[in-house]
Amino acid sequence: MKNSKFKLVAAFGILLFAILIGINAQEPTPSAPKSVRMPAVTEKKLQNELTVAVVERKNVPLVTVQLLIRGGADSEGFAKAGLANMTAGLLTKGTTTRSATQIAQQMEFLGGSIGSSAGWNNSAVSINVMSDKLDQALAIMADVVLNPKFAPKEIDLLKAQIQDGLSYSLKQPGFLANYVASVYSFGEHPSGGTPDSIKSIQRTDILNFKRENYLPNNSVLIFTGDITAEKATALAKKFFGSWKIPPPPKASTTRLGKPMFFNTGTPLFRRMLVVDLPNAGQASVNYTKSVIESGRVRCASGKCESSEIFYPAKVMNSVLGGGYSSRLNQEIRIKRGLSYGAGSDFGWRGTSANFGTRTQTKNESAAEVAELVLAEIKKLAESNLAENELNPRKLVITGDFGRDLETNGGLAEAVSAIYGYFLSTNELNTFMPAVQSVTADQVQKFSNEYLMGGDLIIVGDYAKFKDDLAKRFPQFKVTLITAEKLDLMKLDGN
């Protein structure tokens, strides 16, 4: 009995000691940022004007090769939304000499991988393989790029797969919010396509997109890993030297421009759009804002450099919604348990940017979460950050950047992003110092000038948050549309 009492007292003492230590313990300060020095980027141009960029890294016998094509969803029109994505996706689905199965089997036999995709700004084809198998893998990659068959049965299959995916995704609040924001807030179109646009795409559309955008003088072949610049250039000549530059196409009239409006900066947000999705299990709450005054780069006299907003915007986003300890996640998930996660991000364009926050919550708490999101944006615009919050968030950015460069694939992506925006390769070495030099004043200035006056978009079961929304935002008119009758062409982007 006495022994049990002793154990109980001892356990209580240990618990009390731990509590006191926890109360008095100070949060550890982050260590100094590690510098990352990029290996030199060697650049050559072939006779057909294909740029070859090489970053040598000899630590492991692996090579990543990425062909960057400066043409993505920005080169398609609303009526053919999803065309860039379909074109890229079909490249590995068969050539004039290899079937889709043969491409997959041959790359697997080499112990490598091949992939193709399209984003808003660019398209890309990439391979990863052991350095001693690079010649064989590049032969497959070149065949995929230069001789795609675009077989009707593969086109029909891919269209059916995309349509099935859209049919499911358009019933998901988070996807639907981004889908609507692409037109309503950003003046663009869904890069993955719409049911109508995918249905309308024909083989001739794919052939035309490929012919007009997949050009050697519009592309960069990037090698990273266990390869010398001399060998990479020789391989590029061998496999891509025959790639011809066709006559210039007629000027395209299909590109969708940005909405021509500028917010005054006075209201916290301009508009409130609710997409009613009856019986939705959750509501998606998003704040979206198009930054049309500036974007990823600033170009003059034929040279491009990072815009004055890029690094302050990166740091601001890290503070607001860039990770578990960001303000949005702290307020919405950790403190109140209203969501499994909340964050924010930028979609960078050349001379503009799309900003958005994202979170999902119970329908009943949608209005409360909307209020919390707006409150955090307002705080950033009205008050400066403390150094003990600013510095760790900058370290998150530089830490992620350094970690991404540790793999050949991550390094290739970083180099690709530089070439995609026509930036100097020295940008890779100035990235970390530029992030570290961002001040609290710059973050507040960016927030005040560029974040205010966006759109609040909520997708969910409107009946469950209608009254609370009216109570919390009594002076704002709600634009209400139903998911079932959604027509992107009729959304007012102004």
Side-chain angles (χ1 to χ4, degrees):
M1 188 70 173
K2 288 182 179 180
N3 190 41
S4 297
K5 287 183 178 179
F6 176 79
K7 288 182 178 179
L8 183 62
V9 171
F12 179 77
I14 292 171
L15 178 61
L16 181 61
F17 178 76
I19 292 172
L20 291 173
I21 289 294
I23 291 173
N24 293 308
Q26 291 184 347
E27 185 177 323
T29 57
S31 58
K34 293 182 179 180
S35 61
V36 175
R37 187 68 187 173
M38 274 285 300
V41 180
T42 303
E43 181 182 305
K44 297 283 186 181
K45 269 192 184 293
L46 304 188
Q47 285 190 341
N48 60 4
E49 297 184 37
L50 174 66
T51 300
V52 181
V54 186
V55 183
E56 295 184 42
R57 175 179 277 169
K58 298 291 187 177
N59 55 336
V60 290
L62 292 170
V63 181
T64 293
V65 185
Q66 181 180 119
L67 180 69
L68 170 74
I69 299 98
R70 293 185 175 113
D74 64 338
S75 301
E76 66 194 17
F78 196 118
K80 300 296 179 181
L83 177 58
N85 189 51
M86 279 193 66
T87 304
L90 286 164
L91 294 177
T92 59
K93 301 305 180 185
T95 70
T96 54
T97 58
R98 292 177 172 90
S99 68
T101 301
Q102 288 173 326
I103 292 169
Q105 288 178 340
Q106 289 175 18
M107 285 302 301
E108 184 179 7
F109 179 77
L110 296 174
S113 61
I114 186 169
S116 54
S117 62
W120 184 263
N121 302 296
N122 306 295
S123 301
V125 182
S126 61
I127 58 171
N128 292 284
V129 71
M130 298 288 288
S131 51
D132 62 346
K133 303 291 194 303
L134 182 58
D135 287 50
Q136 297 151 284
L138 271 173
I140 299 171
M141 181 184 188
D143 193 28
V144 161
V145 173
L146 303 180
N147 309 304
K149 191 173 183 179
F150 297 130
K153 67 175 183 178
E154 292 291 350
I155 294 174
D156 291 341
L157 176 60
L158 182 57
K159 288 173 71 170
Q161 291 171 339
I162 295 174
Q163 292 281 23
D164 286 346
L166 282 171
S167 179
Y168 169 79
S169 296
L170 287 172
K171 298 173 185 175
Q172 310 308 310
F175 179 90
L176 191 51
N178 291 325
Y179 185 80
V180 169
S182 64
V183 177
Y184 187 73
S185 298
F186 305 142
E188 297 178 344
H189 59 264
S191 60
T194 71
D196 288 340
S197 70
I198 297 299
K199 183 179 179 180
S200 75
I201 293 174
Q202 303 299 314
R203 187 172 185 269
T204 53
D205 298 315
I206 296 167
L207 290 170
N208 289 337
F209 187 90
K210 169 74 165 50
R211 185 179 63 253
E212 293 177 7
N213 292 279
Y214 285 66
L215 309 170
N217 59 338
N218 193 42
S219 304
V220 183
L221 189 63
I222 301 165
F223 292 79
T224 59
D226 183 23
I227 187 168
T228 65
E230 292 75 17
K231 183 176 181 181
T233 303
L235 289 172
K237 289 179 181 177
K238 177 180 178 180
F239 293 107
F240 291 95
S242 62
W243 194 2
K244 304 295 184 185
I245 304 176
K250 295 179 180 179
S252 174
T253 59
T254 59
R255 293 191 182 221
L256 188 67
K258 283 287 185 181
M260 298 307 294
F261 63 83
F262 294 83
N263 83 79
T264 63
T266 50
L268 177 56
F269 67 103
R270 296 191 306 139
R271 301 176 298 178
M272 185 185 298
L273 173 68
V274 172
V275 181
D276 187 19
L277 189 61
N279 301 315
Q282 289 189 321
S284 179
V285 180
N286 300 61
Y287 177 84
T288 51
K289 175 68 167 59
S290 177
V291 180
I292 60 176
E293 299 89 340
S294 186
R296 175 65 180 88
V297 295
R298 178 180 57 195
C299 300
S301 303
K303 293 184 178 181
C304 296
E305 60 183 12
S306 288
S307 71
E308 65 279 2
I309 75 164
F310 177 67
Y311 291 106
K314 289 281 289 185
V315 176
M316 182 286 302
N317 186 70
S318 181
V319 172
L320 180 65
Y324 187 80
S325 58
S326 66
R327 288 186 175 187
L328 286 177
N329 202 60
Q330 286 280 342
E331 291 298 322
I332 296 171
R333 173 182 175 166
I334 298 173
K335 290 184 181 180
R336 294 173 175 83
L338 295 174
S339 175
Y340 283 113
S344 62
D345 207 354
F346 280 92
W348 291 101
R349 310 295 186 243
T351 55
S352 63
N354 298 336
F355 172 75
T357 71
R358 62 191 180 277
T359 188
Q360 290 198 169
T361 186
K362 295 181 297 183
N363 284 289
E364 292 80 3
S365 55
E368 180 184 359
V369 168
E371 204 170 49
L372 291 170
V373 170
L374 294 171
E376 291 306 315
I377 292 172
K378 186 178 180 182
K379 285 179 188 176
L380 280 173
E382 292 182 348
S383 59
N384 258 343
L385 293 164
E387 288 299 312
N388 63 358
E389 182 181 15
L390 177 64
N391 289 333
R393 300 316 303 172
K394 292 194 288 187
L395 289 173
V396 168
I397 299 172
T398 56
D400 287 345
F401 180 74
R403 186 165 54 252
D404 289 343
L405 298 183
E406 291 178 358
T407 66
N408 287 340
L411 183 55
E413 286 294 330
V415 175
S416 176
I418 293 300
Y419 277 100
Y421 291 111
F422 298 92
L423 290 163
S424 164
T425 54
N426 191 51
E427 183 84 14
L428 294 168
N429 283 318
T430 60
F431 181 92
M432 295 180 79
V435 170
Q436 288 297 330
S437 69
V438 172
T439 66
D441 285 340
Q442 287 177 306
V443 173
Q444 183 184 2
K445 183 175 185 291
F446 173 86
S447 303
N448 191 48
E449 291 185 7
Y450 298 106
L451 288 193
M452 309 291 279
D455 299 324
L456 187 61
I457 299 176
I458 305 176
V459 180
D461 193 336
Y462 183 48
K464 295 181 179 179
F465 59 84
K466 176 181 178 181
D467 293 340
D468 194 29
L469 194 66
K471 179 182 177 182
R472 293 176 186 271
F473 300 94
Q475 297 180 349
F476 276 89
K477 176 186 175 182
V478 174
T479 299
L480 179 66
I481 57 178
T482 61
E484 187 179 0
K485 296 181 180 179
L486 175 63
D487 184 351
L488 292 183
M489 296 295 288
K490 295 181 179 179
L491 279 181
D492 180 10
N494 294 289

